Amino acid sequence: MKHWISGTALAMTAAALCATSMSAMAQTWPAKQPIKLVAVFPPGGSVDQVARILAVPLSQQLGQNIIVENKGGASGSIGTAAVAAAPADGYTFAVVFDTHGVNPSLIPGMPFDTRKDLAPVTLIGTSPMVLATFAASEYKSFADVVAAAKAKKNVNYGSIGSGSLGHLAMALLGKSGNIDWQHVPYKGGGPLMTDAVAGHVPLSIASVFVTKPHIDSGRLRPLAVTTSKRSPDLPNVPTVAESGFAGFDAPAWWAILAPAKTPPEVLKRMNEEVNKALKNPEIAKKLSAQGIDIVGGTPDSARVFIDKQIDTWAKVVKDNGIKAD
């Protein structure tokens, strides 16, 4: 006699077997092989530094080698695409930068869906950008800059490139305050700072890490920071929100992501281990030296934050017709 099994029963059996397999994998993870942290920018930058700083304590805590692999290009989207397409087995993660929240609206035809194909693990931290001017500038405050722009004076500012977070933040400010200022894109923080300290561009907007050495040397004067709270590195510098733009918040940020179908148990464990590493005083000190204010938290809180960034900057890109370099 033949025994027929319904499609529904087969599906339920397959789902149960899959769940059992994933649960078993999560229990043994990460014994199988080394874990890969894909830094989605080239060596030497903040993403690379963050990945390498965290790799040491994570390796010790998990009892497994952590390999940092740099896969840069296209504002981080090439490395992120590789992680999105990687096996969802808990052995490949991405360390991403704030460009992750901008790329969906700036790069057409990306080979992955930013929201659907990746699972946030942890928001590592945030950092303000600093709007600064050269030492001999006429601008003594952010209010001076706004007044000059509204008086139709030629106010130029430099950023690390078209479509960068600094560019988008200034575009958002310009739109909300009906301010007309001109963007001068540079090919990175080095060239921008060279012209900024020389006064070749009257204003610059860049990360604390890039800007602070020149502030400390007295060659740049900070006017405002872009986060909702003042920076611990620059406690005397007001926020943009304090300077007449209530609610303004445009942080740089770093996060760890995984392929979307990574088992929840693995995501939970990795999240716990990253949070543990972030609470290590030695690691916190190293991240602080990069200008990063540690956040940590749950995968859900990371997803809420990242989704908000994607939505905010998509509107700015559309409203201002911004194109990437």
Side-chain angles (χ1 to χ4, degrees):
M1 180 183 291
K2 292 182 179 180
H3 296 279
W4 298 99
I5 302 175
S6 71
T8 301
L10 283 171
M12 290 174 67
T13 302
L17 287 171
C18 182
T20 301
S21 174
M22 285 189 170
S23 178
M25 185 185 80
Q27 288 173 11
T28 59
W29 182 86
K32 179 183 173 184
Q33 65 193 55
I35 296 168
K36 186 187 296 182
L37 275 185
V38 178
V40 303
F41 278 82
S46 68
V47 172
D48 175 63
Q49 293 297 316
V50 167
R52 294 182 190 280
I53 288 169
L54 288 175
V56 175
L58 287 175
S59 177
Q60 294 168 347
Q61 292 165 205
L62 290 166
Q64 183 59 274
N65 289 332
I66 306 286
I67 299 170
V68 176
E69 178 181 304
N70 295 93
K71 193 177 286 289
S75 297
S77 63
I78 290 176
T80 309
V83 172
D89 56 5
Y91 292 95
T92 306
F93 296 87
V95 180
V96 301
F97 189 44
D98 55 51
T99 54
H100 183 76
V102 176
N103 287 342
S105 54
L106 274 182
I107 302 177
M110 286 198 305
F112 63 95
D113 186 305
T114 305
R115 298 185 203 260
K116 294 180 180 179
D117 295 337
L118 294 151
V121 177
T122 317
L123 178 62
I124 296 165
T126 63
S127 178
M129 289 175 291
V130 186
L131 184 68
T133 191
F134 61 101
S137 168
E138 63 183 296
Y139 303 128
K140 307 302 180 187
S141 68
F142 184 57
D144 291 343
V145 177
V146 172
K150 288 193 171 184
K152 304 301 181 183
K153 294 183 180 179
N154 190 25
V155 178
N156 296 332
Y157 71 91
S159 82
I160 64 170
S162 292
S164 67
L165 193 64
H167 179 200
L168 298 183
M170 292 296 282
L172 176 58
L173 279 171
K175 203 78 169 179
S176 62
N178 194 26
I179 302 166
D180 184 21
W181 36 44
Q182 302 302 312
H183 179 225
V184 181
Y186 284 80
K187 295 292 185 181
L192 171 61
M193 289 296 103
T194 297
D195 271 11
V197 299
H200 297 319
V201 62
L203 297 166
S204 63
I205 185 164
S207 69
V208 170
F209 182 70
V210 167
T211 311
K212 193 170 185 294
H214 305 290
I215 294 171
D216 292 343
S217 71
R219 292 182 294 175
L220 285 181
R221 179 188 305 124
L223 302 176
V225 296
T226 63
T227 40
S228 59
K229 296 180 181 179
R230 293 193 181 198
S231 168
D233 293 306
L234 298 167
N236 296 321
V237 180
T239 65
V240 169
E242 289 176 299
S243 305
F245 293 83
F248 187 84
D249 187 27
W253 54 274
W254 297 258
I256 294 180
L257 312 176
K261 294 182 180 179
T262 302
E265 297 91 341
V266 171
L267 293 177
K268 181 176 182 293
R269 174 82 187 281
M270 187 63 164
N271 171 269
E272 290 169 351
E273 299 297 343
V274 174
N275 276 296
K276 181 178 178 181
L278 294 175
K279 292 174 182 175
N280 181 320
E282 183 180 342
I283 300 306
K285 183 177 180 181
K286 289 180 179 179
L287 291 173
S288 178
Q290 298 287 321
I292 297 173
D293 301 325
I294 292 171
V295 176
T298 66
D300 285 344
S301 64
R303 181 177 293 281
V304 169
F305 176 90
I306 293 170
D307 283 351
K308 182 180 178 182
Q309 295 299 308
I310 293 170
D311 292 340
T312 296
W313 302 121
K315 187 175 188 306
V316 173
V317 167
K318 182 179 178 181
D319 289 349
N320 292 274
I322 293 172
K323 305 292 183 183
D325 285 331

